[in-house]
Amino acid sequence: MDLLSRKATCNSHGQDSSYFLGWEEYEKNPHDVVKNPHGIIQMGLAENQLCFDLLESWLIQNPDAASFKRDGQSIFRELALFQDYHGLSSFKKALADFMSEYRQTRVSFDSNNLVLTAGATSANETLMFCLANPGDAFLLPTPYYPGFDRDLKWRTGVEIVPIKCTSSNGFHITKLALEEAYEQAKKLNLNVKGVLITNPSNPLGTTTTQTELNILFEFISKNKNIHLVSDEIYSGTAFSSSEFISVMEILKTNQLENTDVFKRVHIVYSLSKDLGLPGFRVGAIYSNDKDVISAATKMSSFGLVSSQTQYLLSSLLSDKKFTKNYLRENQRRLKNRQRMLVTGLEAIGIGCLKSNAGLFCWVDMRHLLSSKTFEAEMDLWKKIVYEVKLNISPGSSCHCEEPGWFRVCFANMSEETLKLALKRLKKFVVNGILSRSCQVGESQSLKSSRKKTTTTVSNWVFRLSFHDRDAEER
């Protein structure tokens, strides 16, 4: 009799992915400017550390929020006691208003349609439990966040079928690719319950276009039992708010509020990326379907957000002057840091997919591969991790269809560390070019040497024959 359950011992968590293995190598030898300057630089973690000074400044100016006071009076006991899993109404309202604010109030959100969760990981898994049965499938455009293999599949039993996107059109979703994924699922006898996208995309760093969103809405309008889940946790990282289009805006502009589609569109959100607070574990599900909200609220009891966290963030998000300045400054700093990475890579002959959002770039290193294979991609990745000492995420871990693409994060480090990372990468690329040049030179030299040797031998044979002939004549 097995000691542990099949779920506990199964290998479907995805922990053996190169995405997570890179983290493990970093943790063994983390870079530190003083303590370990030659360690591995973490460029595989999508954290936003560029605006901590703004958050810390706010905390200093608003000591009551951090010390759990209201009008100067302690509310510690109130927050320490049991709270209903619906969450604090003040926080849910502040969060709903914040979600509307960075969409420039083009759409509004009803706090009654929000379910609080312990981060986006919990939100995505909870939605899978609500919308699908074990063995059902969701369609996901590739490349996608490696953690989805864990978040969407591991405990729920849901299957992922890829919508295969390629570099030929900038990895955009096409109607043909979507239909092919749907047909592939049917061939596998999988019941498709939904499509899940990340907007802006992780790992591409691009916002979903109006055309792509229209393709998706046309698809779910035609297929009456299919949901659309939009993971919008990077929405506040778009370099320009006007470039980000939420699925809720499509519902409004296409006048779908009073149709059956309205209840089949759901949003996942969190404060981990926009505010850079992954440690606070604040996520949310937004849905127009009351049954989904009811079921998700019950399930949220397995992953609640602490009352203390809700109170603190309620105060912060309710400060409209702060949030307006923060969103604007966050966009500016992210755009500048992305430009620093892109120009640095371009200087050493490495290109990136054109991006307008996110905490990372989708980097094209296909020309550095020894062959156009995923084996060659893994060989290059290992060299970058172990020799260059940079942890980046290979495209294969994101289920990219083409070898040679890598996700490289830029917002979780200082400018000095990013410069060091680029310096290390430049040295690696230059040495690689020199090495190949030497190999080519040696090859050409060898050919030339062989040719010269052949000529010499030929001449020697000719001379020998001539002298031998003279001897014979004496």
Side-chain angles (χ1 to χ4, degrees):
M1 185 175 180
D2 294 333
L3 183 63
L4 301 178
S5 70
R6 287 191 296 273
K7 181 63 67 179
T9 56
C10 73
N11 193 33
S12 60
H13 181 276
Q15 196 70 32
D16 57 348
S17 164
S18 53
Y19 173 74
F20 292 110
L21 293 178
W23 283 20
E24 291 179 9
E25 293 307 312
Y26 164 76
E27 288 169 358
K28 294 175 187 175
N29 184 24
H31 170 266
D32 184 273
V33 177
V34 177
K35 298 178 181 178
N36 191 21
H38 302 294
I40 296 174
I41 296 174
Q42 175 63 288
M43 304 186 84
L45 180 60
E47 281 187 341
N48 183 3
Q49 299 182 19
L50 301 189
C51 289
F52 275 172
D53 60 312
L54 302 182
L55 295 167
E56 289 170 336
S57 176
W58 185 90
L59 289 171
I60 292 171
Q61 295 170 22
N62 296 270
D64 274 11
S67 55
F68 311 127
K69 292 181 179 179
R70 184 188 299 128
D71 299 326
Q73 299 299 312
S74 174
I75 57 168
F76 172 79
R77 295 186 181 186
E78 177 184 329
L79 296 174
L81 297 176
F82 174 78
Q83 297 287 340
D84 183 85
Y85 53 45
H86 287 81
L88 300 181
S89 58
S90 59
F91 174 61
K92 292 174 70 174
K93 183 181 184 306
L95 183 61
D97 290 345
F98 183 65
M99 291 171 66
S100 177
E101 182 177 3
Y102 62 67
R103 290 168 177 80
Q104 298 182 325
T105 64
R106 293 186 296 264
V107 288
S108 59
F109 292 87
D110 184 350
S111 61
N112 292 317
N113 290 355
L114 273 175
V115 178
L116 301 180
T117 63
T121 294
S122 177
N124 276 309
E125 185 186 56
T126 298
L127 266 180
M128 292 302 105
F129 276 124
C130 290
L131 305 179
N133 292 310
D136 288 343
F138 262 73
L139 310 181
L140 270 69
T142 62
Y144 62 78
Y145 166 54
F148 281 152
D149 292 322
R150 170 200 63 200
D151 303 351
L152 308 183
K153 294 174 56 177
W154 183 41
R155 297 198 298 185
T156 66
V158 169
E159 299 294 334
I160 292 176
V161 177
I163 302 170
K164 297 180 179 179
C165 305
T166 67
S167 62
S168 61
N169 71 341
F171 296 98
H172 288 299
I173 301 167
T174 65
K175 185 175 181 180
L176 177 61
L178 180 57
E179 292 293 347
E180 286 179 345
Y182 185 50
E183 291 303 317
Q184 177 63 21
K186 290 199 289 188
K187 286 180 183 178
L188 296 172
N189 294 318
L190 295 173
N191 179 33
V192 177
K193 292 303 296 289
V195 181
L196 187 146
I197 63 170
T198 55
N199 180 25
S201 168
N202 176 9
L204 300 179
T206 56
T207 53
T208 308
T209 65
Q210 179 87 45
T211 300
E212 291 175 290
L213 289 169
N214 286 339
I215 288 171
L216 293 166
F217 272 86
E218 180 184 339
F219 178 75
I220 68 167
S221 295
K222 182 174 65 175
N223 297 282
K224 302 299 183 181
N225 295 316
I226 291 182
H227 298 265
L228 174 60
V229 177
S230 182
D231 185 328
E232 299 184 357
I233 67 172
Y234 289 97
S235 51
T237 71
F239 304 153
S240 172
S241 300
S242 61
E243 294 185 38
F244 169 71
I245 306 172
S246 172
V247 289
M248 289 300 163
E249 294 176 55
I250 301 296
L251 286 173
K252 182 179 179 180
T253 55
N254 291 6
Q255 299 180 335
L256 296 170
E257 290 103 324
N258 296 318
T259 69
D260 64 307
V261 173
F262 190 62
K263 290 186 175 183
R264 290 187 281 119
V265 177
H266 321 277
I267 287 178
V268 167
Y269 184 59
S270 113
L271 297 177
S272 296
K273 310 303 180 181
D274 294 348
L275 284 183
L277 301 175
F280 278 42
R281 307 310 304 146
V282 178
I285 295 168
Y286 189 87
S287 176
N288 296 306
D289 188 327
K290 298 301 181 184
D291 290 335
V292 170
I293 292 299
S294 176
T297 300
K298 296 170 185 173
M299 292 182 188
S300 70
S301 61
F302 295 101
L304 298 174
V305 182
S306 76
S307 300
Q308 292 84 355
T309 298
Q310 290 185 58
Y311 177 74
L312 171 60
L313 294 178
S314 172
S315 300
L316 184 143
L317 296 180
S318 297
D319 186 339
K320 300 305 178 186
K321 182 179 179 181
F322 169 80
T323 56
K324 181 179 180 180
N325 177 65
Y326 179 91
L327 288 171
R328 182 174 60 248
E329 186 63 16
N330 185 52
Q331 289 173 335
R332 186 189 69 81
R333 294 185 189 185
L334 286 173
K335 184 177 182 179
N336 289 342
R337 182 60 63 84
Q338 182 255 23
R339 177 47 45 190
M340 180 180 172
L341 174 61
V342 171
T343 54
L345 290 172
E346 287 175 346
I348 55 178
I350 298 176
C352 301
L353 181 72
K354 186 177 181 180
S355 59
N356 61 353
L359 311 176
F360 33 71
C361 286
W362 191 235
V363 180
D364 185 0
M365 297 191 191
R366 288 176 291 179
H367 61 294
L368 298 179
L369 299 181
S370 58
S371 63
K372 296 180 181 179
T373 64
F374 285 109
E375 288 77 15
E377 177 183 280
M378 290 307 296
D379 288 341
L380 177 60
W381 175 72
K382 289 175 183 177
K383 288 179 180 178
I384 293 174
V385 172
Y386 294 108
E387 296 177 20
V388 188
K389 289 187 169 54
L390 305 177
N391 176 38
I392 62 177
S393 305
S396 54
S397 70
C398 303
H399 301 273
C400 184
E401 293 294 309
E402 305 167 18
W405 292 88
F406 294 81
R407 191 192 76 167
V408 180
C409 300
F410 56 76
N412 63 323
M413 66 193 75
S414 66
E415 280 192 19
E416 290 71 25
T417 302
L418 181 55
K419 289 176 182 177
L420 175 61
L422 288 168
K423 182 179 179 181
R424 289 183 182 181
L425 193 57
K426 179 181 179 179
K427 182 179 179 181
F428 170 73
V429 172
V430 170
N431 287 345
I433 293 173
L434 290 175
S435 176
R436 287 194 293 273
S437 297
C438 288
Q439 289 173 1
V440 171
E442 288 173 1
S443 177
Q444 291 175 342
S445 177
L446 182 59
K447 288 179 182 177
S448 176
S449 177
R450 284 173 178 170
K451 184 177 180 180
K452 184 176 180 181
T453 301
T454 302
T455 303
T456 303
V457 169
S458 179
N459 290 339
W460 179 78
V461 170
F462 173 78
R463 287 195 301 274
L464 179 61
S465 300
F466 181 80
H467 288 301
D468 283 351
R469 189 183 63 203
D470 281 353
E472 287 172 358
E473 289 177 349
R474 285 185 193 125

